[in-house]
Amino acid sequence: MSDAIIVRNVTYRAGKEFAIRDLAMTVPTGSVYGFLGPNGSGKTTTLRLLLGMLPVDDGTISVLGHDVPAGVHKALAKIGYVPERLHLYPTLTVEETMRYHAAFYPDWDNARAENLRRGFALRAEQAVERLSKGESGKLMMLLALAHNPDLLVLDEPTDGLDPVVRRDVLAALLEYVSARGATVLISSHLIHEQERICDHVGVMDDGRLLAEMPMAAFRGGIKRLRVSKAPMDRGDLPFTLLSRGVSAGREEEWVVRGWQPAMKEYFVTAESELREVIDLDLEESFVELLRSARPPVVVAGEEN
């Protein structure tokens, strides 16, 4: 199975104000796929659609080779899920919570669960309702990893955790992925964290997937160009022009997607001068992609 998740032409409407529209995404087997987007962009809704928690209006979803929702019960047996909000019984202890979850998974690994509990410094007798936010995050990751899943679906798993706890949680995740060859779909707004651990990326905004590609292509393919004598007529551009504006004097600043070094020839042919090619980090690339996809803001009182 080359792709752990395949989504095609999925539509879902959540009330009058928001909808997932014509969603298509592919998560390769064995990848760590970073699912990026601002709050309210549709990331959590998409994850719930993948897990069969919400019904699609149209389109198809396949997870671990099983159609969703018809075969979702088979897929869920091999999925470790960390939701955005804690969903454990507050009066159970850590040990009781582990035993409770173990009853649902034939592949539950008691030794792995205990090793994670000790590594995370979680006390077996501690009640869930008395856990700190960091301890709760560790427990949720433990439960997701302990039944040896083939796919991990993580919704903001480190949100609100301090840097030390984030490091511990991500280290356990990456150790498991390395040993098991598991696939990870991780939704987060912590861009720099995603840049460190992900090899594929998808960017979502307003219910649409704006881009999907290997992390290296995303990080290296969006550039800021400084151009002198910029052509008025864009012609047939060899790249996607995300934005264009004046930076100083007659010099323009272009932000482009899909850049390759050989594309410098375009400016020679257009009798322009490419003064500088500037690398962007993942956060800058993310912001530029969102900005280019959104309608321009109209300031009150401006003429159309």
Side-chain angles (χ1 to χ4, degrees), residues 182-194:
T183 305
V184 180
L185 173 59
I186 177 169
S187 166
S188 178
H189 66 276
L190 301 174
I191 308 299
H192 292 299
E193 182 177 280
Q194 298 276 49

Side-chain angles (χ1 to χ4, degrees), residues 10-12 20 23 42-57 61 63 68-69 72:
V10 162
T11 298
Y12 172 79
I20 302 292
L23 177 64
K43 302 190 304 299
T44 295
T45 299
T46 298
L47 298 186
R48 290 174 177 169
L49 289 168
L50 297 179
L51 297 173
M53 298 164 66
L54 296 173
V56 301
D57 294 333
I61 299 174
V63 178
V68 176
V72 72

Side-chain angles (χ1 to χ4, degrees), residues 115-268:
N115 285 339
L116 286 168
R117 186 190 68 77
R118 293 177 182 274
F120 285 157
L122 294 171
R123 291 187 291 126
E125 71 279 8
Q126 182 85 345
V128 168
E129 63 187 354
R130 295 187 177 275
L131 295 177
S132 68
K133 187 173 181 64
E135 290 170 332
S136 298
K138 290 178 178 180
L139 180 57
M140 292 298 295
M141 185 61 72
L142 181 159
L143 298 174
L145 295 175
H147 65 93
N148 295 317
D150 293 331
L151 170 65
L152 288 148
V153 177
L154 313 176
D155 192 359
E156 302 281 0
T158 61
D159 186 32
L161 305 185
D162 68 57
V164 174
V165 174
R166 284 208 306 270
R167 181 197 61 192
D168 292 344
V169 168
L170 291 176
L173 171 65
L174 294 177
E175 181 181 353
Y176 178 82
V177 169
S178 176
R180 182 82 177 185
T183 305
V184 180
L185 173 59
I186 177 169
S187 166
S188 178
H189 66 276
L190 301 174
I191 308 299
H192 292 299
E193 182 177 280
Q194 298 276 49
E195 190 169 16
R196 291 195 301 270
I197 68 172
C198 297
D199 50 35
H200 279 71
V201 63
V203 178
M204 192 138 194
D205 190 38
D206 193 28
R208 298 173 297 144
L209 195 68
L210 303 182
E212 179 182 60
M213 65 189 75
M215 177 67 81
F218 186 78
R219 189 168 47 212
I222 298 182
K223 305 287 187 183
R224 181 175 288 115
L225 311 181
R226 298 199 187 281
V227 183
S228 291
K229 304 176 184 177
M232 296 299 295
D233 182 7
R234 298 177 185 178
D236 295 323
L237 298 177
F239 42 73
T240 300
L241 183 60
L242 298 181
S243 67
R244 175 178 180 173
V246 176
S247 61
R250 295 181 60 191
E251 189 174 280
E252 289 192 3
E253 186 175 274
W254 295 15
V255 177
V256 304
R257 175 181 166 193
W259 175 260
Q260 297 293 332
M263 294 174 181
K264 294 178 181 179
E265 185 62 27
Y266 163 79
F267 294 96
V268 175

